[in-house]
Amino acid sequence: MTDSHTADALSHRGLDLLAGDKPAEAAQAFRAAIAADPAHVEAHHGLVRALRDAGQIDHSVAAAMVLTALTPNDPLAYTALSIALQHAGHIPEAEAAAARARILEWKLELQSTPGKDSGQ
């Protein structure tokens, strides 16, 4: 059973801790949010960032891979993966993830424009 209210509160706590330059504590809050609601996308994004800021680069990459598996059509998930991979020194993989993000963004743009007359 998921508890989205608890996950939201914990995720907000994680963001506050990140803003307060406490990435290790923020990672704990984001992990708790994910435990409360495994599909809480914002908590997954926060965890990727917190782990990276805490210098836990390999864990950040792993968290980003979980995020892309959870949201395979989300360009931001692949952007987060690309950044984590860059920090890990995996440049070809980072470039591939960035390319995937661009493709997904283009697909979203194409899906939102059919049948709409922009007047231009």
Side-chain angles (χ1 to χ4, degrees):
M1 184 174 169
T2 63
D3 184 353
S4 62
H5 179 71
T6 299
D8 284 342
L10 289 165
S11 186
H12 285 258
R13 171 118 174 93
L15 291 172
D16 289 342
L17 289 164
L18 268 180
D21 199 26
K22 297 179 181 177
E25 291 176 42
Q28 291 175 341
F30 290 124
R31 283 188 176 116
I34 292 166
D37 181 0
H40 198 281
V41 174
E42 292 83 6
H44 283 276
H45 275 283
L47 180 60
V48 173
R49 174 67 187 263
L51 291 169
R52 188 178 76 233
D53 288 0
Q56 298 179 30
I57 304 304
D58 290 338
H59 292 287
S60 179
V61 169
M65 292 178 80
V66 169
L67 176 59
T68 60
L70 179 66
T71 58
N73 295 316
D74 179 11
L76 293 177
Y78 283 92
T79 299
L81 176 59
S82 176
I83 293 167
L85 287 165
Q86 287 175 25
H87 282 270
H90 302 294
I91 304 306
E93 295 89 344
E95 290 174 353
R100 178 74 178 144
R102 282 191 301 277
I103 290 168
L104 289 171
E105 258 189 36
W106 292 334
K107 285 182 178 181
L108 289 173
E109 286 177 26
L110 289 172
Q111 289 172 357
S112 68
T113 56
K116 293 184 180 179
D117 184 8
S118 64
Q120 295 179 0

